[in-house]
Amino acid sequence: MSRPKASLRAEQDDLRSRMRDRGMTHQEIAAEFARRYRFRPRAAHRHAFGWTLTQAADRINAYAAEHGLDPTGKAPMTEPKLSELENFPRSRVRRLMPQTLALLAGVYGTDVHTLLDLDDHDHLSPSDRLLLTSMGASAPAPAPSAPPSRALAGTPPLARSAADRSRDRPARGPAFDLVTWPVLAVGQHEPVEERLRHVRDQPRSVDLVTIALLRQRVEDLDAQYDRTPPTELLPEAGQLLTLVSYLRSQTPTMRLRRELLTAEAEAAILMGQLVWDASQRRDHRQAHTYLDRAAAAGRELRNPIAEGLALLRSTIVALHGERAPQTALDLARRCMAVTEGSSDVLAGLAALHAAEAYAMQRDTAECEQLLGHAEHLLGRTDAADEASYLYSPRHIPRMAGSCYLFLGQPRTAEELLGHAYSHLHNPAKADAIVLGNLALAQIRQGKPDEAAHAFSQALDVVTRTRGGGGITMAFTISRELGPWRHVPAVRDACDRLLDVMAPPVPTTP
């Protein structure tokens, strides 16, 4: 995101200072920034403090760690993610979750409702709206004079007068304690764990708020999938799927059954991914079992997005696990047919995988035709597409590079793959595949030193994410580098693979 011009920053600083000097509250400053500069509510509250995206992300991560919301210290908020949250629903963020809003409200010292406008409400699910209705005021705002630096990120606000606090206190809803997030605030304020324990014992007590919390937890795990070893996520994902399925069998009303069936489809898709990834892309049968279950739920719901996403994941398993291009092609075509008119993103991604299936069959003409069709579909993607969060501009060069590698054109593949991965300071599992394919393209052109460098970058990603596809790719590269083992860079990279895959040595007490 481009930074505002110096003159604009100076104007905003002057406005902020004048409003503070006149005793105006943070809420009033944010409202004026939203009106004058047409900021969305979340951006307006950040600018009301004068924080950059980096400074705000630092404070959010520090706040989360301070309140036990980030026990592993992974600092998940980044500048791009915060920018997308501020621009929802016109961004790649799939869902503006109540948990995220509560975290932002705690940092900005405001009420969750002041961080939403009509456009946001129009794109919230009914269960999320119900949960947000039960949430009220948060902690007071941080002191405006505190400098937004890393060292002071998350520092508790200075004490303020009762008059100041009364001006900042939102008038809406009961108090909401972020320290015990997530909560159910339907007059009880009981932690989620207690609520879920209760519905296990009394399944007919399940309601829309409980279902919203279950879906939110599934989405939390899904958000962690790309940068977390699958074995860390599998146990909880399996428990959630089992609980959702059990509750659906016991629920008395059709409305609740439909909501639970939606949650079941989402949890089954996640389980299909996790099982396949944890098995290093070997357990195709179990992955298909979960994904078929999700597709069936989508059909029952008459939800083309849920069914299409399950079919897309099944296509990937058939393509890169079973190495069955014709099966993958059939699944991709079904996905395109199901999602036609509902999601250009899912249809476009299915077309990319269909092109890859043709490439595996060495059919250049059909492959390139589908690559063009996919580019057309993905080029008209907008925020109204429910699956827009799945799409990245890197998809096309990444998949096209893979296609040309299968077609025996490594030079073209290298050109496409060279810029198809994300920044390696925060890599995703797919980056290991991209870098692996780049290394293979360079090997097949007789470039061992360049291939060793790409291989080492892929191992960096594998070390951090433990993605099954990356691990499988690493061994493929190591085998193809065999003729160049005498090259020092190649030898070092191949030796490092053994270190990456070796189990950790237990430390002596």
Side-chain angles (χ1 to χ4, degrees):
M1 173 178 286
S2 60
R3 296 186 178 183
K5 295 180 180 179
S7 58
L8 180 58
R9 287 201 301 270
E11 176 188 318
Q12 292 173 352
D13 290 343
D14 179 65
L15 174 63
R16 189 183 308 109
S17 178
R18 286 189 291 113
M19 294 184 75
R20 285 176 181 167
D21 290 344
R22 294 175 184 178
M24 300 182 75
T25 67
H26 170 73
Q27 305 279 26
E28 292 167 332
I29 296 172
E32 179 62 21
F33 270 68
R35 183 194 67 80
R36 184 172 299 205
Y37 301 108
R38 297 186 178 181
F39 288 140
R40 302 298 306 286
R42 295 168 293 285
H45 278 270
R46 173 172 63 81
H47 282 283
F49 283 117
W51 296 342
T52 65
L53 285 168
T54 301
Q55 291 165 342
D58 287 344
R59 288 178 177 270
I60 292 166
N61 289 326
Y63 187 93
E66 178 186 352
H67 290 85
L69 305 177
D70 182 26
T72 58
K74 292 184 177 180
M77 185 59 70
T78 62
E79 295 92 326
K81 181 176 179 181
L82 181 57
S83 177
E84 291 186 349
L85 289 170
E86 289 182 349
N87 289 290
F88 173 88
R90 298 179 182 88
S91 68
R92 289 179 53 222
V93 172
R94 176 183 181 184
R95 183 172 158 214
L96 192 60
M97 296 185 293
Q99 178 181 2
T100 304
L101 286 167
L103 178 60
L104 294 178
V107 173
Y108 296 146
T110 188
D111 176 76
V112 289
H113 301 282
T114 67
L115 299 178
L116 298 169
D117 60 15
L118 179 60
D119 206 12
D120 295 318
H121 278 284
D122 286 343
H123 288 81
L124 291 173
S125 68
S127 53
D128 282 347
R129 282 199 294 270
L130 178 63
L131 184 58
L132 286 168
T133 300
S134 68
M135 295 163 57
S138 181
S145 59
S149 65
R150 285 181 181 270
L152 296 179
T155 304
L158 300 175
R160 297 180 301 164
S161 69
D164 288 339
R165 289 195 299 271
S166 65
R167 283 200 302 266
D168 276 0
R169 187 182 302 119
R172 180 174 181 171
F176 176 70
D177 182 9
L178 272 167
V179 178
T180 58
W181 171 262
V183 300
L184 287 173
V186 192
Q188 301 171 7
H189 293 277
E190 55 184 334
V192 168
E193 291 77 9
E194 294 179 16
R195 177 63 178 172
L196 296 185
R197 196 178 304 119
H198 175 71
V199 296
R200 286 189 191 101
D201 297 334
Q202 303 290 333
R204 288 181 173 269
S205 68
V206 68
D207 54 19
L208 288 173
V209 174
T210 307
I211 298 171
L213 291 170
L214 285 167
R215 291 186 64 191
Q216 180 177 292
R217 187 55 195 153
V218 170
E219 192 158 334
D220 288 344
L221 295 177
D222 186 52
Q224 296 175 50
Y225 166 78
D226 220 16
R227 293 173 172 82
T228 306
T231 51
E232 294 183 15
L233 306 178
L234 258 174
E236 185 176 357
Q239 291 170 4
L240 287 169
L241 178 58
T242 300
L243 177 59
V244 168
S245 180
Y246 170 66
L247 292 175
R248 185 167 66 88
S249 70
Q250 302 294 315
T251 299
T253 69
M254 181 58 68
R255 170 68 186 279
L256 292 176
R257 277 201 294 272
R258 287 187 60 82
E259 291 290 330
L260 284 165
L261 188 59
T262 301
E264 187 173 339
E266 294 168 348
I269 289 172
L270 177 61
M271 277 296 293
Q273 290 179 263
L274 292 173
V275 165
W276 192 50
D277 198 14
S279 69
Q280 296 182 26
R281 298 191 168 189
R282 293 191 179 99
D283 193 349
H284 318 312
R285 182 189 61 81
Q286 188 82 341
H288 277 306
T289 298
Y290 283 116
L291 294 171
D292 289 347
R293 178 175 173 181
R299 283 193 297 275
E300 184 176 344
L301 289 164
R302 297 183 181 180
N303 183 338
I305 303 298
E307 183 182 358
L309 181 54
L311 289 170
L312 182 67
R313 300 299 185 201
S314 293
T315 302
I316 297 171
V317 173
L319 198 59
H320 297 291
E322 297 169 306
R323 296 283 171 171
Q326 189 56 51
T327 302
L329 191 55
D330 294 341
L331 287 165
R333 284 172 173 161
R334 283 177 57 196
C335 179
M336 293 169 68
V338 165
T339 57
E340 183 179 5
S342 299
S343 172
D344 287 333
V345 168
L346 285 174
L349 294 177
L352 284 175
H353 288 294
E356 200 171 18
Y358 275 120
M360 292 176 73
Q361 297 173 330
R362 297 300 183 101
D363 190 332
T364 303
E366 289 288 351
C367 172
E368 291 183 335
Q369 182 180 347
L370 276 168
L371 285 175
H373 182 53
E375 188 171 5
H376 168 70
L377 289 171
L378 295 172
R380 63 188 193 189
T381 298
D382 58 29
D385 191 322
E386 191 177 334
S388 60
Y389 70 97
L390 292 170
Y391 172 64
S392 163
R394 291 187 294 270
H395 272 116
I396 293 175
R398 187 182 92 197
M399 297 294 294
S402 176
C403 287
Y404 283 108
L405 195 59
F406 281 122
L407 290 170
Q409 301 181 39
R411 179 177 298 179
T412 304
E414 181 182 11
E415 293 173 359
L416 290 163
L417 294 165
H419 303 286
Y421 54 88
S422 58
H423 297 296
L424 292 180
H425 70 275
N426 192 24
K429 289 177 181 176
D431 289 321
I433 306 297
V434 175
L435 290 163
N437 278 331
L438 178 60
L440 291 175
Q442 291 164 338
I443 290 170
R444 293 168 191 177
Q445 295 177 78
K447 300 178 178 179
D449 288 306
E450 292 92 329
H453 177 67
F455 186 22
S456 294
Q457 289 182 300
L459 289 176
D460 289 339
V461 179
V462 169
T463 301
R464 296 179 66 171
T465 65
R466 310 302 296 183
I471 293 172
T472 303
M473 177 67 78
F475 282 104
T476 300
I477 298 167
S478 180
R479 286 193 297 270
E480 293 210 17
L481 282 171
W484 290 280
R485 285 296 178 96
H486 61 281
V487 177
V490 172
R491 183 174 60 248
D492 291 345
C494 291
D495 289 345
R496 187 182 169 208
L497 173 61
L498 299 178
D499 294 334
V500 169
M501 297 310 301
V505 179
T507 57
T508 56

